[in-house]
Amino acid sequence: MRITLRVNGIDYEIEVPPRRTLADALREECGLTGTHLGCEHGACGACTVLVDGDAVRSCLMFAVQCDGRAVRTVEGLAAPDGSDHPLQAAFSAEHALQCGFCTPGFLMLAAGALENDPGIAEDPERLRELLTSNLCRCTGYEAIRRAVVRAARAGGALP
Ligand code: FES
Ligand code: FES
């Protein structure tokens, strides 16, 4: 099927089989390999991207479901001049990256949350619950939590 994915503001006209996942289409057809695949069955959250502003697991969505919709991936976080998004700067400052495999998913999960519900960063219980939806095998959750709070205080919502 011929579809158009609008990823980070750029239209990608691609041809995919109906059962191609969004994650695979982003990586293979669009060449955007920042979105990582861990479990490929919805458990780990490494593949999290934003579709129309909401965080989704891109391994559980078909690319055809996103035809004509706005997708944001980790490649779209930095400002056009290349400067870090507040979340990227905060992850670096708080040492919230270890192996880094889960990091794109956490960044997009946090970006969606801060955009839709900025108050979540000041509500420890809800923030903790949000972060449990993604897995970091290095168990660096405390640094990730601190980074999201830091980014929110620095204006961490998506531009
Ligand atoms: S790769 Fe999608 S949730 Fe793990
Ligand atoms: S930084 Fe290693 S899995 Fe998250």
Side-chain angles (χ1 to χ4, degrees), residues 5-159:
L5 295 182
R6 187 165 189 78
V7 189
N8 305 325
I10 297 170
D11 284 343
Y12 292 81
E13 288 185 19
I14 58 176
E15 185 117 13
V16 288
R19 293 184 60 79
R20 188 77 150 159
T21 65
L22 174 60
D24 284 341
L26 288 170
R27 291 178 55 86
E28 305 296 332
E29 273 75 29
C30 303
L32 298 169
T33 54
T35 299
H36 291 168
L37 282 164
C39 64
E40 297 189 71
H41 63 246
C44 75
C47 64
T48 302
V49 300
L50 302 184
V51 176
D52 292 336
D54 293 323
V56 303
R57 275 139 153 70
S58 60
C59 71
L60 293 185
M61 242 179 138
F62 294 124
V64 295
Q65 293 176 282
C66 299
D67 187 16
R69 298 172 72 183
V71 180
R72 288 193 76 117
T73 69
V74 70
E75 288 92 344
L77 269 189
D81 69 359
S83 57
D84 282 343
H85 183 281
L87 276 165
Q88 293 171 307
F91 268 61
S92 175
E94 296 289 352
H95 306 289
L97 317 94
Q98 295 180 78
C99 75
F101 194 85
C102 65
T103 306
F106 273 108
L107 285 170
M108 299 317 292
L109 177 75
L114 293 185
E115 184 175 66
N116 293 323
D117 180 15
I120 195 169
E122 301 299 336
D123 184 332
E125 211 41 56
R126 284 198 303 132
L127 179 56
R128 221 168 268 129
E129 191 181 335
L130 174 80
L131 296 178
T132 61
S133 73
N134 282 26
L135 297 180
C136 172
R137 292 190 65 193
C138 324
T139 68
Y141 288 95
E142 180 51 24
I144 293 170
R145 186 198 64 76
R146 284 198 312 268
V148 176
V149 172
R150 185 184 186 118
R153 291 177 183 167
L158 287 170

